[in-house]
Amino acid sequence: MTNQKNQGNQKNQEKDPGLQGNERIEAAIAGLQQEASQEHLAHTLTVIRQRMREGGQFIIAVEPPKGDGRLQIQAIQTENGQSWWTVFSSFEEELKGSDSVKSTFLTDMGQLFTQAVQTEEIQGIILNPWNRTLMLDKALIQVILGQKK
């Protein structure tokens, strides 16, 4: 087991510093997927909050600029017609669905969460839409930001 941990640490050294530590988020989501409970959800939100406070980053997918020259965060529509921003915790997660992602940037988690809460056109953020998926609606984002208990 020690050997696997060392290999994991070597991989971390190759990552962008803002993404180092995001594997804790992926592990928490994996646990939540295995056993969906309020306790696992609370743990997952706590891990995300800790990464945000550490200055953690997500990878955001962006749409090419339209007439106004501004980049737009890529949104996907769910079956019920709601729009959600898509973000990724690692380049590995992004590449799992690479056919639909055109351009990406790293962004600060706290800034992203604050912007998502203030953007009326979206319901929230889908983290890792291809695998370790977590849908964060605005209420959950506010919990992460410490705006709601």
Side-chain angles (χ1 to χ4, degrees):
M1 191 146 170
T2 307
N3 194 16
Q4 286 180 328
K5 190 170 188 173
N6 288 339
Q7 288 174 346
N9 287 339
Q10 287 174 339
K11 280 185 181 177
N12 278 348
Q13 301 309 315
E14 299 166 12
K15 285 185 183 178
D16 187 281
L19 300 176
Q20 289 181 14
N22 283 0
E23 62 277 355
R24 295 192 323 252
I25 295 172
E26 293 169 14
I29 293 171
L32 180 62
Q33 288 175 332
Q34 288 177 345
E35 184 185 331
S37 68
Q38 289 296 318
E39 293 80 20
H40 275 92
L41 177 60
H43 170 71
T44 302
L45 297 179
T46 299
V47 171
I48 295 170
R49 180 184 299 135
Q50 288 169 341
R51 283 294 301 133
M52 178 185 75
R53 289 184 177 160
E54 294 168 3
Q57 295 181 317
F58 283 138
I59 300 165
I60 56 168
V62 294
E63 302 282 349
K66 296 189 173 56
D68 61 4
R70 295 176 54 198
L71 290 174
Q72 296 288 322
I73 298 175
Q74 187 176 45
I76 60 171
Q77 278 202 335
T78 53
E79 290 178 11
N80 61 5
Q82 296 177 333
S83 290
W84 297 74
W85 284 346
T86 54
V87 302
F88 307 93
S89 57
S90 65
F91 289 110
E92 294 82 14
E93 286 295 328
E94 174 203 341
L95 291 174
K96 289 176 181 163
S98 61
D99 58 326
S100 62
V101 177
K102 306 290 186 266
S103 299
T104 60
F105 290 96
L106 291 173
T107 188
D108 177 80
M109 290 179 189
Q111 291 176 351
L112 177 72
F113 292 147
T114 300
Q115 189 176 355
V117 170
Q118 297 170 352
T119 302
E120 290 183 26
E121 301 84 48
I122 63 162
Q123 296 299 307
I125 294 171
I126 299 177
L127 176 58
N128 298 331
W130 324 126
N131 182 30
R132 297 279 182 232
T133 304
L134 180 64
M135 293 179 79
L136 298 168
D137 65 17
K138 290 182 181 183
L140 292 178
I141 294 170
Q142 288 175 317
V143 169
I144 293 168
L145 288 169
Q147 298 172 349
K148 279 189 176 179
K149 297 279 182 202

